[in-house]
Amino acid sequence: MARRSEHKGKRRLPTKAEVLEFVQSSPSRVGKREIARAFHVSGADRIPLKALLSEMADEGLLDRGPGKSLKKHGDLPSVAVLDVVDTDPDGELLVEPVSWPQDGPPPRLLLTPGGSATPAGPPAGVGDRVLARIVRTDDGYEARLIRTISASAHRILGVYHPAAGGGRVQPVDRKTRTELLVAPEDGAGAEAGELVVAELLPQRRYGLKRARIRERLGSVRDVGAISLIAIHAHNIPVDFPEPVLAETTSAAPVARLDRRTDLRALPLVTIDPEDARDHDDAVWAGADDDPANAGGWIVVVAIADVAHYVRPGGALDREARRRGNSCYFPDRVVPMLPEQLSADLCSLIDGADRPCLAVRMVFDANGRKKRHAFVRGLMRSAATLTYSQVQHAVDGTPDDAAGPLLDPVLRPLYGAYGALVCARTKRQPLDLDMPERRIVLDESGVVAAIQTRERFDAHRLIEEFMIAANVCAAETLEKRQTACVYRVHETPAQDKVEALRTFLQTLGIPFARAQVLTPAVFNRVLDRVKGTPHQHVVNEVVLRTQMQANYSPDNVGHFGLNLQRYAHFTSPIRRYADLIVHRALIRALDFGDGGLTAAAVAGLSETALHISQCERRALAAERESTDRYLAAYMADRVGTQFRGRISGVTRFGLFVALEETGADGFIPISTLGAEFFVHDEGAHALVGERSGRTYRLGDAVDVRLAEATPITGGLRFELLDQDGAPAVARTGARRAGGPSRPMAPHGRTKPKSAGKVARAARKSPRK
């Protein structure tokens, strides 16, 4: 395009059409200066150029942007802040500009990954706010993600309560105690006690934050509201888009033998918890009849061939990757795959032919693996058993289902497990003793009991077989030089190890500096405190010393399991990482269709980061849901005395876990006494400055439940002395006028209220 033209020997201004063409085609921000330079307008001619641009703006041909920039009317800026507002039929995220000064509704754009490096933080979801680059395409525009600005910071989940002149929204997040003000015209018809999603509005200088109701989710008293809160708070996808469901019902191929190995004569069995909703692994074991391997065992682990149904690049695959994993709550499962697959076609139901990937492993009498081989097969499960069924059968009380399988199937499984235990004992993986609790709901969805999960040898048997199969998958892919995602767990960071060493010194337990860190080093400490009053606290602190496991295409080993290579292979129904490993094996071993594509290999770093973030999101949602169920269970027991242990120590107070239920609550430091308490971070303790009274992590304490808030999952305790009286009474902290506020050193005061203390404590991350 000509930037300069002459008419009768005089320089002229650009036409409106030329200005519009230049503004639209420019790859960078355009203002009056850039237009003048492009069209060689200088000196006094800049005055009529300014008038021309103002006229075009008044006519609606140009829009003014930030910093005196200009753009064609209706055009989008090159970089913008966008709200994730919906998903398209394929489950892809749709976004709209946060600010849209034009007439009519704002445009909706497809949000795509921004490149090979996925931004840190949880995956974006509906309701989040993102920064994205706006790129013109043949079909219009698309938004390429730069980073997630806020995980729904402008959307708040809460309970609506009518009030004079409108209503209030009480946030469900325990860290957000301030209510939101909702004007009558912004209430969207919400009723008292409804769970709602509120959007923050531009704020006034003073008063409550203003908000409008964007979504009504039903009564907070409804069955299932507790898990629904966690699901919405973490933007976990629930409903499957129509194309995903259509692909599930129409495109799932029937599994035929073809090139598969026929395993249907092998009596493989599934062994799962009583409440298992899917069955993706089956096992078989038998004595090795090879004279060269006397006392050895053959173990077969067969895993559902999800890659047979979920093909790379399809709607099912995109949705499974977006979810990353299944999420498990006491009352429901939010599955990674539609129920037709997760509970039927991909589930190893007894008596039904199912496609599988299986590994045949040969172990010697001491559990050392001699060799292994993978096959893509067709299997038929001989039985669907539970851990308790199997354990009771082996212990001498079999039921009708397990009894016939005791000698031909179950006893050989335990024989092979005994050999693998020998190898495990020699390998010395990290051996933490952390009890797991289970929430039991009655038929109406109310918490009936909190139970400690029993740990049978049947659990350990399956764990050992699955670990062995995962190792085989990683070894095979590494040998074949095929890319995959490893499950990695790094060596603890030195600062955490030093903090552990300092803590152990307070207990008189040596922990040498000049030693190579291995799980066995930590196990020796754990063995030393077993059965002592320090057992609980040392297990907790050792756990906090460890790094968080994640997924990576780069293998750095698995410290906790003490393994050089490890890849998740055994749960492709509920983890996308396992599906990737299946596809990698199919590609490496030339097993046919459904292998890992070149495009997937190129994006493994991005995918590994994404599914690691999805895993953390699920864990947070599951943990918060458990907290709320426990608070609901405890709500009728306010004023009751309990025995517990200090599970966390902060400068704001103490966290206490109850021995009966595992429920975790907070004791504000302002309720501990009139004296000032010093937080000894190295010793994980609060120490009274005057009396020396010490509250240490792991100490057994008696507490009284003072408050339970099911909406937020918060519990507040009151510390008791040996006589059952409030511990603060010994120091005279409680007076007629309320709790005292003694001065701390250098004029610092304790927090004004228990509520503020609790809020501040919850802001400190607990690992």
Side-chain angles (χ1 to χ4, degrees):
M1 176 177 62
R3 301 301 184 214
R4 179 179 179 179
S5 61
E6 301 293 335
H7 180 64
K8 296 182 179 180
K10 294 183 179 180
R11 182 178 297 146
R12 70 172 180 84
L13 294 176
T15 65
K16 293 180 180 179
E18 288 173 333
V19 171
L20 288 176
E21 182 182 353
F22 174 70
V23 170
Q24 186 171 354
S25 62
S26 177
S28 58
R29 192 180 73 170
V30 172
K32 184 182 72 173
R33 179 184 301 173
E34 287 75 22
I35 295 174
R37 185 181 297 118
F39 291 96
H40 305 285
V41 178
S42 61
D45 290 335
R46 287 178 177 267
I47 297 175
L49 176 63
K50 181 179 180 181
L52 174 67
L53 298 178
S54 296
E55 181 181 337
M56 293 178 68
D58 293 340
E59 292 174 355
L61 297 175
L62 290 177
D63 293 328
R64 299 187 186 278
K68 297 184 179 181
S69 63
L70 298 168
K71 62 186 180 71
K72 184 180 177 183
H73 178 71
D75 273 3
L76 292 165
S78 58
V79 175
V81 177
L82 308 166
D83 282 335
V84 183
V85 295
D86 204 351
T87 57
D88 69 4
D90 292 330
E92 302 292 341
L93 297 176
L94 298 174
V95 293
E96 291 180 357
V98 170
S99 176
W100 183 248
Q102 312 303 327
D103 296 332
R108 287 197 170 187
L109 312 177
L110 182 69
L111 182 66
T112 62
S116 59
T118 299
V126 174
D128 287 347
R129 185 161 284 179
V130 300
L131 182 68
R133 194 174 304 281
I134 310 300
V135 179
R136 184 182 292 276
T137 66
D138 294 338
D139 299 325
Y141 292 94
E142 71 177 20
R144 295 179 182 173
L145 180 65
I146 297 175
R147 62 184 175 91
T148 300
I149 295 177
S150 58
S152 305
H154 61 294
R155 293 170 69 255
I156 295 178
L157 191 67
V159 180
Y160 180 80
H161 300 288
R168 301 283 193 274
V169 173
Q170 176 192 355
V172 300
D173 186 347
R174 70 182 69 178
K175 294 180 289 188
T176 309
R177 296 296 183 93
T178 305
E179 291 186 339
L180 307 177
L181 178 65
V182 179
E185 63 271 18
D186 294 325
E191 299 178 356
E194 271 195 313
L195 190 64
V196 298
V197 176
E199 178 186 52
L200 291 178
L201 295 174
Q203 301 302 311
R204 297 173 299 200
R205 189 165 184 177
Y206 302 104
L208 295 176
K209 290 184 178 180
R210 298 166 58 243
R212 71 162 62 95
I213 305 302
R214 275 298 189 189
E215 193 174 355
R216 298 166 60 188
L217 304 176
S219 174
V220 74
R221 291 179 291 275
D222 289 347
V223 173
I226 288 179
S227 56
L228 191 64
I229 290 173
I231 289 168
H232 276 267
H234 291 275
N235 293 318
I236 294 173
V238 177
D239 298 322
F240 287 94
E242 191 58 40
V244 175
L245 298 176
E247 185 176 312
T248 302
T249 56
S250 64
V254 176
R256 296 193 299 267
L257 197 57
D258 292 337
R259 295 171 56 188
R260 295 180 179 272
T261 301
D262 194 347
L263 301 174
R264 289 174 293 182
L266 197 66
L268 290 151
V269 296
T270 64
I271 305 175
D272 292 292
E274 285 81 355
D275 55 357
R277 294 167 169 91
D278 52 59
H279 309 278
D280 51 11
D281 58 83
V283 294
W284 173 88
D288 190 359
D289 57 7
D290 183 354
N293 189 29
W297 296 91
I298 299 172
V299 174
V300 175
V301 173
I303 308 298
D305 188 358
V306 176
H308 174 73
Y309 297 100
V310 183
R311 295 302 173 91
L316 264 171
D317 181 43
R318 293 196 301 272
E319 182 67 13
R321 184 190 181 279
R322 182 167 79 101
R323 294 173 179 237
N325 46 252
S326 298
C327 301
Y328 293 84
F329 302 96
D331 66 330
R332 73 182 76 192
V333 173
V334 180
M336 185 181 77
L337 300 173
E339 189 174 357
Q340 184 178 348
L341 288 178
S342 61
D344 185 10
L345 292 176
C346 292
S347 192
L348 305 181
I349 301 170
D350 55 289
D353 289 358
R354 289 290 184 263
C356 67
L357 257 67
V359 57
R360 182 181 186 271
M361 300 172 284
V362 179
F363 299 94
D364 66 16
N366 295 314
R368 290 189 295 266
K369 181 167 65 68
K370 296 173 70 67
R371 58 187 176 275
H372 72 268
F374 282 92
V375 298
R376 200 174 192 183
L378 191 68
M379 61 159 287
R380 183 183 299 154
S381 175
T384 301
L385 303 175
T386 67
Y387 290 119
S388 58
Q389 270 183 303
V390 171
Q391 193 65 52
H392 291 153
V394 173
D395 290 343
T397 56
D399 61 12
D400 293 341
L405 299 171
L406 180 58
D407 289 327
V409 176
L410 301 184
R411 292 199 190 282
L413 285 173
Y414 274 75
Y417 165 63
L420 266 64
V421 167
C422 295
R424 176 189 175 91
T425 301
K426 184 176 181 179
R427 191 176 84 242
Q428 280 280 299
L430 190 61
D431 189 18
L432 289 165
D433 181 18
M434 307 298 293
E436 181 184 358
R437 286 180 170 81
R438 170 174 170 252
I439 295 175
V440 180
L441 305 179
D442 62 20
E443 294 181 356
S444 63
V446 176
V447 180
I450 310 295
Q451 299 176 347
T452 301
R453 287 188 183 272
E454 291 186 88
R455 286 279 295 169
F456 300 121
D457 279 344
H459 290 88
R460 300 180 181 91
L461 179 154
I462 293 299
E463 286 176 2
E464 285 304 311
F465 287 0
M466 297 304 117
I467 289 172
N470 289 337
V471 171
C472 291
E475 288 179 349
T476 295
L477 292 172
E478 191 170 282
K479 182 178 180 180
R480 298 281 178 143
Q481 298 183 331
T482 301
C484 77
V485 288
Y486 294 91
R487 182 64 168 179
V488 298
H489 184 222
E490 297 180 67
T491 303
Q494 283 302 313
D495 58 336
K496 291 187 175 183
V497 175
E498 188 59 35
L500 172 66
R501 180 180 292 109
T502 300
F503 170 69
L504 292 176
Q505 286 175 351
T506 67
L507 303 179
I509 300 174
F511 195 81
R513 277 194 175 87
Q515 60 180 329
V516 177
L517 277 183
T518 65
V521 171
F522 293 103
N523 288 341
R524 286 194 290 270
V525 173
L526 298 173
D527 289 339
R528 178 166 179 164
V529 299
K530 191 170 293 184
T532 72
H534 304 308
Q535 177 176 345
H536 296 280
V537 61
V538 173
N539 272 268
E540 182 70 30
V541 177
V542 168
L543 175 62
R544 297 181 187 188
T545 304
Q546 307 306 309
M547 301 293 284
Q548 187 173 30
N550 56 73
Y551 296 105
S552 172
D554 302 316
N555 180 30
V556 297
H558 197 295
F559 178 82
L561 293 174
N562 200 15
L563 293 169
Q564 293 182 352
R565 53 193 65 84
Y566 191 67
H568 275 164
F569 159 75
T570 55
S571 294
I573 288 178
R574 61 186 181 89
R575 291 188 305 226
Y576 194 75
D578 302 57
L579 178 56
I580 295 174
V581 171
H582 276 231
R583 288 172 174 167
L585 288 168
I586 292 169
R587 174 183 176 133
L589 300 173
D590 192 23
F591 278 160
D593 297 334
L596 198 64
T597 64
V601 171
L604 274 183
S605 293
E606 177 185 336
T607 298
L609 178 59
H610 171 76
I611 59 180
S612 295
Q613 293 165 350
C614 288
E615 179 185 46
R616 288 192 284 274
R617 175 181 68 180
L619 290 173
E622 292 165 4
R623 182 173 58 250
E624 290 175 14
S625 178
T626 298
D627 286 346
R628 290 188 174 97
Y629 270 109
L630 286 169
Y633 180 66
M634 301 290 289
D636 295 333
R637 308 174 74 179
V638 172
T640 304
Q641 181 175 334
F642 299 94
R643 187 70 168 170
R645 287 189 180 274
I646 297 175
S647 58
V649 180
T650 75
R651 61 191 180 93
F652 306 107
L654 306 171
F655 288 94
V656 173
L658 302 186
E659 292 183 354
E660 178 185 341
T661 62
D664 197 43
F666 188 66
I667 301 175
I669 196 172
S670 60
T671 67
L672 292 180
E675 65 179 316
F676 179 69
F677 280 83
V678 176
H679 179 214
D680 187 337
E681 191 171 358
H684 296 271
L686 288 178
V687 182
E689 191 176 55
R690 185 177 65 249
S691 66
R693 186 152 43 99
T694 301
Y695 300 107
R696 188 195 303 272
L697 184 71
D699 284 353
V701 292
D702 291 311
V703 297
R704 178 180 292 125
L705 179 60
E707 181 184 354
T709 312
I711 292 299
T712 63
L715 298 175
R716 184 169 60 83
F717 295 131
E718 183 180 47
L719 191 65
L720 303 178
D721 62 16
Q722 294 179 350
D723 300 323
V728 293
R730 295 187 305 233
T731 58
R734 292 283 176 88
R735 297 189 180 127
S740 62
R741 296 181 57 219
M743 293 297 295
H746 310 297
R748 291 182 290 117
T749 62
K750 291 187 179 180
K752 295 181 180 179
S753 69
K756 288 188 178 180
V757 174
R759 288 198 298 277
R762 288 299 184 186
K763 290 181 182 178
S764 299
R766 299 175 59 213
K767 297 180 181 179

